[in-house]
Amino acid sequence: MKPARSFASDNNASVHPKVLQAIAAVNQGHVVGYGDDPYTQAATRKFKQHFGADVEVFLVFNGTAANCLSLKAMTESFHAVICSEDAHIYTDECGAPEKFTGCKLIDLPTPDGKLTVKTIAHAYHNIGDQHHVQPRVVSITQATELGTVYTPREVRDLARYAHSHEMFLHMDGARIANAAVSLGLTLREATRDLGVDVLSFGGTKNGAMGAEAVVFFDKKLSRDFLYRRKQGMQLASKSRYIAAQLDALLSNNLWRKNAENANRRAELLEKELRKIPQVKIVYKVEANGVFAQLPRAAITKLQQRYFFYVWNEERSLVRWMCSFDTTERDVKQFAKLVSKAVDG
Protein backbone atom coordinates (compact mmCIF):
# COMPACT_ATOMS: atom_id res chain seq x y z
CA MET A 1 0.00 0.00 0.00
CA LYS A 2 1.44 3.35 -1.03
CA PRO A 3 1.81 6.12 1.58
CA ALA A 4 -0.94 8.73 1.79
CA ARG A 5 1.50 11.57 1.17
CA SER A 6 4.19 11.58 -1.50
CA PHE A 7 7.11 13.87 -2.26
CA ALA A 8 6.26 14.46 -5.90
CA SER A 9 4.88 17.99 -5.71
CA ASP A 10 3.21 20.46 -3.40
CA ASN A 11 0.50 20.47 -6.07
CA ASN A 12 -0.30 16.92 -5.00
CA ALA A 13 -1.00 17.91 -1.41
CA SER A 14 -4.46 18.16 0.06
CA VAL A 15 -6.29 21.42 0.67
CA HIS A 16 -5.70 23.02 4.04
CA PRO A 17 -8.73 22.47 6.32
CA LYS A 18 -9.04 26.19 7.02
CA VAL A 19 -9.21 26.87 3.29
CA LEU A 20 -11.99 24.32 2.92
CA GLN A 21 -13.79 25.93 5.86
CA ALA A 22 -13.46 29.31 4.18
CA ILE A 23 -15.00 27.96 0.97
CA ALA A 24 -17.88 26.44 2.93
CA ALA A 25 -18.40 29.69 4.82
CA VAL A 26 -19.06 31.68 1.63
CA ASN A 27 -21.32 28.97 0.20
CA GLN A 28 -24.48 30.72 1.42
CA GLY A 29 -27.19 32.22 -0.73
CA HIS A 30 -26.73 34.26 -3.90
CA VAL A 31 -24.18 36.99 -4.50
CA VAL A 32 -23.31 39.01 -7.59
CA GLY A 33 -20.92 37.16 -9.88
CA TYR A 34 -17.69 38.00 -11.71
CA GLY A 35 -15.97 39.55 -8.70
CA ASP A 36 -18.58 42.14 -7.76
CA ASP A 37 -19.21 40.42 -4.46
CA PRO A 38 -18.22 41.25 -0.87
CA TYR A 39 -15.96 38.19 -0.57
CA THR A 40 -13.78 39.16 -3.52
CA GLN A 41 -13.63 42.69 -2.17
CA ALA A 42 -12.58 41.34 1.23
CA ALA A 43 -9.80 39.26 -0.34
CA THR A 44 -8.63 42.31 -2.29
CA ARG A 45 -8.44 44.28 0.95
CA LYS A 46 -6.36 41.50 2.47
CA PHE A 47 -3.89 41.73 -0.41
CA LYS A 48 -3.68 45.47 0.12
CA GLN A 49 -2.91 44.94 3.79
CA HIS A 50 0.03 42.74 2.85
CA PHE A 51 1.34 44.59 -0.20
CA GLY A 52 0.14 48.19 0.08
CA ALA A 53 -3.12 50.09 -0.27
CA ASP A 54 -2.40 51.18 -3.84
CA VAL A 55 -1.80 47.76 -5.44
CA GLU A 56 -4.13 46.32 -8.06
CA VAL A 57 -5.19 42.69 -7.58
CA PHE A 58 -6.85 40.31 -10.04
CA LEU A 59 -7.84 36.76 -9.15
CA VAL A 60 -7.24 33.94 -11.63
CA PHE A 61 -7.51 30.15 -11.69
CA ASN A 62 -3.97 28.90 -12.13
CA GLY A 63 -0.30 29.76 -12.27
CA THR A 64 0.18 29.47 -16.02
CA ALA A 65 -2.59 32.02 -16.55
CA ALA A 66 -1.15 34.31 -13.88
CA ASN A 67 2.20 34.26 -15.66
CA CYS A 68 0.81 34.66 -19.18
CA LEU A 69 -1.51 37.50 -18.23
CA SER A 70 1.21 39.24 -16.25
CA LEU A 71 3.59 39.13 -19.20
CA LYS A 72 0.87 40.21 -21.62
CA ALA A 73 0.22 43.32 -19.53
CA MET A 74 3.84 44.40 -19.93
CA THR A 75 4.55 43.56 -23.54
CA GLU A 76 3.74 43.87 -27.20
CA SER A 77 4.27 40.95 -29.57
CA PHE A 78 7.60 42.33 -30.80
CA HIS A 79 9.04 42.29 -27.27
CA ALA A 80 11.11 39.58 -25.59
CA VAL A 81 11.01 38.13 -22.09
CA ILE A 82 14.32 37.20 -20.50
CA CYS A 83 14.17 34.19 -18.19
CA SER A 84 16.14 31.25 -16.85
CA GLU A 85 16.43 28.12 -18.94
CA ASP A 86 14.80 26.34 -15.99
CA ALA A 87 11.91 28.82 -15.67
CA HIS A 88 8.43 27.37 -15.51
CA ILE A 89 7.31 29.77 -18.25
CA TYR A 90 9.96 28.25 -20.52
CA THR A 91 9.91 24.55 -19.63
CA ASP A 92 6.48 23.64 -18.29
CA GLU A 93 3.79 25.83 -19.80
CA CYS A 94 3.53 24.22 -23.25
CA GLY A 95 4.52 27.44 -25.03
CA ALA A 96 1.52 29.25 -23.53
CA PRO A 97 3.43 32.47 -22.71
CA GLU A 98 4.70 32.72 -26.28
CA LYS A 99 1.33 31.86 -27.79
CA PHE A 100 -0.62 34.23 -25.56
CA THR A 101 1.78 37.19 -25.67
CA GLY A 102 3.34 36.66 -29.09
CA CYS A 103 6.69 37.42 -27.45
CA LYS A 104 9.91 35.50 -27.75
CA LEU A 105 11.28 33.96 -24.55
CA ILE A 106 15.03 34.32 -24.26
CA ASP A 107 16.22 31.54 -21.95
CA LEU A 108 19.58 31.96 -20.28
CA PRO A 109 21.78 29.39 -18.50
CA THR A 110 21.44 29.45 -14.72
CA PRO A 111 23.42 26.74 -12.88
CA ASP A 112 21.48 27.39 -9.67
CA GLY A 113 18.22 28.52 -11.27
CA LYS A 114 18.92 32.22 -10.61
CA LEU A 115 19.44 34.95 -13.18
CA THR A 116 22.15 37.52 -12.57
CA VAL A 117 22.69 41.01 -13.91
CA LYS A 118 25.79 39.78 -15.74
CA THR A 119 23.82 37.00 -17.42
CA ILE A 120 20.98 39.32 -18.44
CA ALA A 121 23.40 41.86 -19.88
CA HIS A 122 24.47 39.30 -22.51
CA ALA A 123 20.88 39.14 -23.78
CA TYR A 124 20.27 42.88 -23.82
CA HIS A 125 21.32 43.87 -27.33
CA ASN A 126 20.05 44.97 -30.75
CA ILE A 127 18.04 47.71 -29.06
CA GLY A 128 16.22 49.79 -31.65
CA ASP A 129 17.01 47.34 -34.44
CA GLN A 130 13.78 46.59 -36.29
CA HIS A 131 15.05 43.14 -37.26
CA HIS A 132 15.21 41.92 -33.67
CA VAL A 133 12.81 41.44 -30.79
CA GLN A 134 13.23 44.04 -28.06
CA PRO A 135 13.86 42.89 -24.47
CA ARG A 136 11.05 44.21 -22.30
CA VAL A 137 10.65 41.97 -19.25
CA VAL A 138 12.97 40.10 -16.93
CA SER A 139 11.05 37.23 -15.37
CA ILE A 140 12.36 35.45 -12.28
CA THR A 141 10.90 32.62 -10.23
CA GLN A 142 10.92 32.87 -6.43
CA ALA A 143 11.61 30.30 -5.08
CA THR A 144 13.27 28.94 -8.21
CA GLU A 145 12.48 25.70 -9.99
CA LEU A 146 15.68 24.26 -8.49
CA GLY A 147 14.67 25.01 -4.92
CA THR A 148 17.02 27.95 -4.50
CA VAL A 149 15.99 31.42 -3.34
CA TYR A 150 17.05 34.84 -4.63
CA THR A 151 18.47 37.04 -1.88
CA PRO A 152 16.94 40.51 -1.44
CA ARG A 153 20.06 42.07 -2.91
CA GLU A 154 19.92 39.82 -5.97
CA VAL A 155 16.29 40.76 -6.67
CA ARG A 156 16.99 44.46 -6.07
CA ASP A 157 19.97 44.40 -8.43
CA LEU A 158 17.89 42.75 -11.15
CA ALA A 159 15.14 45.31 -10.69
CA ARG A 160 17.57 48.20 -10.92
CA TYR A 161 19.14 46.80 -14.07
CA ALA A 162 15.75 46.18 -15.66
CA HIS A 163 14.41 49.62 -14.82
CA SER A 164 17.56 51.40 -15.94
CA HIS A 165 17.19 49.66 -19.32
CA GLU A 166 13.47 50.41 -19.73
CA MET A 167 12.42 46.89 -18.80
CA PHE A 168 10.10 45.51 -16.13
CA LEU A 169 10.70 42.86 -13.48
CA HIS A 170 8.12 40.09 -13.24
CA MET A 171 8.18 37.56 -10.43
CA ASP A 172 6.64 34.12 -10.82
CA GLY A 173 5.66 33.65 -7.17
CA ALA A 174 4.18 30.17 -7.36
CA ARG A 175 6.16 29.52 -4.16
CA ILE A 176 6.59 33.09 -2.95
CA ALA A 177 5.41 32.04 0.52
CA ASN A 178 8.24 29.53 0.81
CA ALA A 179 10.76 32.09 -0.39
CA ALA A 180 9.57 34.81 1.99
CA VAL A 181 9.75 32.41 4.94
CA SER A 182 13.22 31.27 3.89
CA LEU A 183 14.38 34.90 3.82
CA GLY A 184 12.57 35.88 7.02
CA LEU A 185 10.65 38.59 5.15
CA THR A 186 7.05 39.68 4.80
CA LEU A 187 5.37 39.21 1.45
CA ARG A 188 5.81 42.89 0.66
CA GLU A 189 9.46 42.93 1.73
CA ALA A 190 10.15 39.97 -0.56
CA THR A 191 8.49 41.53 -3.61
CA ARG A 192 7.36 45.13 -3.90
CA ASP A 193 10.04 46.62 -1.68
CA LEU A 194 12.73 45.00 -3.85
CA GLY A 195 11.49 46.57 -7.07
CA VAL A 196 9.22 43.90 -8.52
CA ASP A 197 6.66 45.42 -10.91
CA VAL A 198 4.21 42.53 -11.28
CA LEU A 199 3.80 39.42 -9.14
CA SER A 200 2.15 36.13 -10.02
CA PHE A 201 0.97 35.22 -6.54
CA GLY A 202 0.68 31.50 -5.89
CA GLY A 203 -1.87 30.06 -3.49
CA THR A 204 -2.37 26.53 -4.77
CA LYS A 205 1.04 25.19 -3.73
CA ASN A 206 0.57 26.82 -0.33
CA GLY A 207 -2.59 24.96 0.64
CA ALA A 208 -5.34 26.34 -1.60
CA MET A 209 -7.64 24.23 -3.76
CA GLY A 210 -6.91 26.34 -6.82
CA ALA A 211 -6.35 30.04 -6.40
CA GLU A 212 -3.79 32.46 -7.83
CA ALA A 213 -3.62 36.20 -8.36
CA VAL A 214 -1.86 38.83 -10.43
CA VAL A 215 -0.65 41.70 -8.25
CA PHE A 216 0.42 44.97 -9.86
CA PHE A 217 2.79 47.21 -7.94
CA ASP A 218 3.08 49.53 -10.94
CA LYS A 219 -0.58 50.47 -11.44
CA LYS A 220 0.01 51.82 -14.94
CA LEU A 221 0.58 48.26 -16.08
CA SER A 222 -2.85 47.14 -14.88
CA ARG A 223 -4.70 49.37 -17.32
CA ASP A 224 -7.13 47.29 -19.38
CA PHE A 225 -6.23 44.17 -17.41
CA LEU A 226 -9.91 43.50 -16.78
CA TYR A 227 -10.28 42.88 -20.50
CA ARG A 228 -7.06 40.88 -20.77
CA ARG A 229 -8.24 38.59 -17.99
CA LYS A 230 -11.59 38.06 -19.69
CA GLN A 231 -9.97 37.36 -23.07
CA GLY A 232 -7.62 34.99 -21.29
CA MET A 233 -10.64 33.03 -20.01
CA GLN A 234 -9.68 33.66 -16.39
CA LEU A 235 -12.64 35.67 -15.11
CA ALA A 236 -14.43 33.47 -12.60
CA SER A 237 -18.19 33.80 -12.54
CA LYS A 238 -18.29 32.49 -8.97
CA SER A 239 -15.30 34.52 -7.86
CA ARG A 240 -16.15 34.23 -4.17
CA TYR A 241 -14.82 30.67 -4.02
CA ILE A 242 -11.38 31.70 -5.27
CA ALA A 243 -11.42 34.80 -3.09
CA ALA A 244 -12.27 32.82 0.03
CA GLN A 245 -9.21 30.62 -0.43
CA LEU A 246 -6.80 33.52 -0.77
CA ASP A 247 -8.45 35.42 2.07
CA ALA A 248 -7.93 32.40 4.31
CA LEU A 249 -4.26 32.03 3.34
CA LEU A 250 -3.61 35.71 3.98
CA SER A 251 -5.36 35.67 7.36
CA ASN A 252 -3.75 34.82 10.70
CA ASN A 253 -0.43 34.06 9.01
CA LEU A 254 -1.73 30.82 7.51
CA TRP A 255 0.41 31.34 4.40
CA ARG A 256 3.48 31.63 6.62
CA LYS A 257 2.66 28.62 8.80
CA ASN A 258 2.09 26.44 5.76
CA ALA A 259 5.35 27.52 4.15
CA GLU A 260 7.28 27.13 7.38
CA ASN A 261 6.20 23.51 7.70
CA ALA A 262 7.06 22.71 4.09
CA ASN A 263 10.47 24.35 4.38
CA ARG A 264 11.28 22.68 7.70
CA ARG A 265 10.41 19.26 6.32
CA ALA A 266 12.64 19.82 3.30
CA GLU A 267 15.46 20.82 5.65
CA LEU A 268 14.90 17.63 7.64
CA LEU A 269 14.80 15.55 4.46
CA GLU A 270 18.13 17.02 3.38
CA LYS A 271 19.60 16.23 6.80
CA GLU A 272 18.44 12.61 6.67
CA LEU A 273 19.60 12.12 3.08
CA ARG A 274 23.08 13.44 3.84
CA LYS A 275 23.50 10.44 6.11
CA ILE A 276 23.32 8.21 3.02
CA PRO A 277 26.69 8.15 1.17
CA GLN A 278 25.18 7.06 -2.16
CA VAL A 279 22.86 10.10 -2.29
CA LYS A 280 24.16 13.48 -3.40
CA ILE A 281 22.25 16.71 -2.76
CA VAL A 282 22.76 18.73 -5.94
CA TYR A 283 21.35 22.20 -5.18
CA LYS A 284 21.10 24.24 -2.00
CA VAL A 285 17.94 23.42 -0.07
CA GLU A 286 16.54 26.88 0.59
CA ALA A 287 12.79 26.39 0.27
CA ASN A 288 10.67 23.23 0.16
CA GLY A 289 12.42 21.24 -2.56
CA VAL A 290 15.27 18.73 -2.44
CA PHE A 291 17.12 17.71 -5.60
CA ALA A 292 19.13 14.52 -5.21
CA GLN A 293 21.30 12.30 -7.36
CA LEU A 294 21.18 8.56 -6.68
CA PRO A 295 21.61 5.25 -8.53
CA ARG A 296 19.00 4.58 -11.20
CA ALA A 297 18.18 1.18 -9.78
CA ALA A 298 17.32 2.84 -6.48
CA ILE A 299 14.99 5.29 -8.23
CA THR A 300 13.08 2.40 -9.79
CA LYS A 301 12.69 0.72 -6.41
CA LEU A 302 11.52 3.89 -4.72
CA GLN A 303 8.94 4.60 -7.39
CA GLN A 304 7.27 1.29 -6.64
CA ARG A 305 6.19 2.83 -3.33
CA TYR A 306 6.31 6.60 -3.92
CA PHE A 307 5.31 8.71 -6.88
CA PHE A 308 7.84 11.45 -7.71
CA TYR A 309 9.50 13.01 -10.74
CA VAL A 310 12.88 12.24 -12.24
CA TRP A 311 14.16 15.72 -12.96
CA ASN A 312 16.99 14.69 -15.28
CA GLU A 313 17.20 11.14 -16.62
CA GLU A 314 20.78 11.46 -17.86
CA ARG A 315 22.06 12.69 -14.49
CA SER A 316 19.82 10.35 -12.46
CA LEU A 317 18.53 13.45 -10.70
CA VAL A 318 15.21 13.47 -8.85
CA ARG A 319 13.09 16.17 -7.23
CA TRP A 320 11.41 15.67 -3.88
CA MET A 321 9.00 18.34 -2.67
CA CYS A 322 7.57 18.89 0.79
CA SER A 323 4.18 20.44 1.49
CA PHE A 324 2.22 22.17 4.21
CA ASP A 325 0.95 18.77 5.37
CA THR A 326 4.24 16.82 5.22
CA THR A 327 5.04 15.39 8.65
CA GLU A 328 8.30 14.51 10.35
CA ARG A 329 7.24 10.88 10.26
CA ASP A 330 6.66 11.11 6.48
CA VAL A 331 10.20 12.36 6.00
CA LYS A 332 11.89 9.80 8.20
CA GLN A 333 9.96 6.90 6.69
CA PHE A 334 10.86 8.05 3.21
CA ALA A 335 14.54 8.59 4.06
CA LYS A 336 14.68 5.10 5.58
CA LEU A 337 13.28 3.65 2.36
CA VAL A 338 15.81 5.64 0.30
CA SER A 339 18.61 4.16 2.39
CA LYS A 340 17.35 0.63 1.81
CA ALA A 341 16.91 1.25 -1.91
CA VAL A 342 20.45 2.50 -2.50
CA ASP A 343 21.89 -0.34 -0.39
CA GLY A 344 20.22 -2.83 -2.70
Side-chain angles (χ1 to χ4, degrees), residues 146 280-283 290-296 299 308-320:
L146 302 184
K280 177 185 177 182
I281 306 299
V282 178
Y283 304 115
V290 178
F291 289 75
Q293 202 169 35
L294 63 161
R296 293 186 182 183
I299 294 175
F308 59 84
Y309 295 102
V310 178
W311 194 257
N312 187 309
E313 292 278 358
E314 293 181 359
R315 298 173 60 193
S316 193
L317 179 65
V318 301
R319 184 191 76 167
W320 292 324

Side-chain angles (χ1 to χ4, degrees), residues 20-293:
L20 284 176
Q21 290 170 12
I23 294 173
V26 303
N27 193 37
Q28 306 293 329
H30 288 208
V31 300
V32 178
Y34 302 106
D36 293 323
D37 62 90
Y39 305 109
T40 300
Q41 293 167 11
T44 299
R45 287 195 297 272
K46 200 61 63 72
F47 271 97
K48 290 177 181 290
Q49 289 173 13
H50 282 276
F51 293 103
D54 59 339
V55 300
E56 292 288 345
V57 183
F58 299 86
L59 309 187
V60 296
F61 300 145
N62 58 52
T64 296
N67 285 335
C68 290
L69 288 167
S70 295
L71 297 175
K72 181 65 174 176
M74 293 180 278
T75 60
E76 298 288 349
S77 59
F78 53 84
H79 286 139
V81 177
I82 298 172
C83 63
S84 163
E85 64 183 358
D86 296 303
H88 200 270
I89 61 172
Y90 184 73
T91 63
D92 289 295
E93 292 182 356
C94 196
E98 290 168 313
K99 176 180 174 59
F100 193 78
T101 67
C103 295
K104 180 180 179 64
L105 298 186
I106 300 176
D107 64 303
L108 301 177
T110 52
D112 58 355
K114 297 194 289 185
L115 289 172
T116 66
V117 169
K118 184 177 180 180
T119 305
I120 292 172
H122 289 299
Y124 189 80
H125 50 69
N126 296 316
I127 306 305
D129 187 336
Q130 64 184 330
H131 300 288
H132 296 271
V133 291
Q134 301 296 292
R136 186 63 167 173
V137 178
V138 175
S139 180
I140 63 174
T141 313
Q142 182 74 318
T144 75
E145 288 79 3
L146 302 184
T148 53
V149 174
Y150 285 91
T151 67
R153 181 174 180 176
E154 288 170 336
V155 177
R156 191 178 291 112
D157 287 348
L158 290 171
R160 287 173 177 167
Y161 182 88
H163 296 157
S164 67
H165 290 77
E166 298 184 341
M167 295 190 292
F168 300 110
L169 180 63
H170 165 252
M171 179 179 283
D172 177 351
R175 297 186 177 94
I176 185 57
N178 302 93
V181 164
S182 176
L183 296 170
L185 301 176
T186 66
L187 292 171
R188 173 171 178 157
E189 289 170 343
T191 56
R192 181 178 191 172
D193 290 353
L194 300 179
V196 175
D197 295 298
V198 183
L199 169 69
S200 298
F201 179 87
T204 307
K205 291 178 172 64
N206 190 229
M209 180 183 293
E212 315 282 317
V214 178
V215 185
F216 289 92
F217 305 124
D218 184 341
K219 293 181 68 172
K220 296 189 299 294
L221 295 172
S222 67
R223 188 181 66 179
D224 297 331
F225 194 80
L226 286 171
Y227 312 111
R228 298 189 194 282
R229 179 174 61 175
K230 180 65 175 181
Q231 281 196 334
M233 297 169 282
Q234 288 293 311
L235 176 59
S237 55
K238 295 186 178 181
S239 176
R240 58 173 150 163
Y241 298 103
I242 296 178
Q245 298 176 59
L246 295 171
D247 197 331
L249 287 179
L250 294 175
S251 298
N252 302 315
N253 277 324
L254 183 58
W255 69 271
R256 182 177 292 279
K257 294 171 186 175
N258 288 350
E260 284 174 343
N261 184 77
N263 287 11
R264 280 198 303 266
R265 299 312 176 209
E267 184 179 353
L268 175 62
L269 180 57
E270 177 192 21
K271 179 180 177 182
E272 294 297 317
L273 292 174
R274 288 196 182 280
K275 298 175 184 177
I276 308 171
Q278 302 94 322
V279 177
K280 177 185 177 182
I281 306 299
V282 178
Y283 304 115
K284 289 183 179 179
V285 178
E286 296 178 327
N288 62 320
V290 178
F291 289 75
Q293 202 169 35

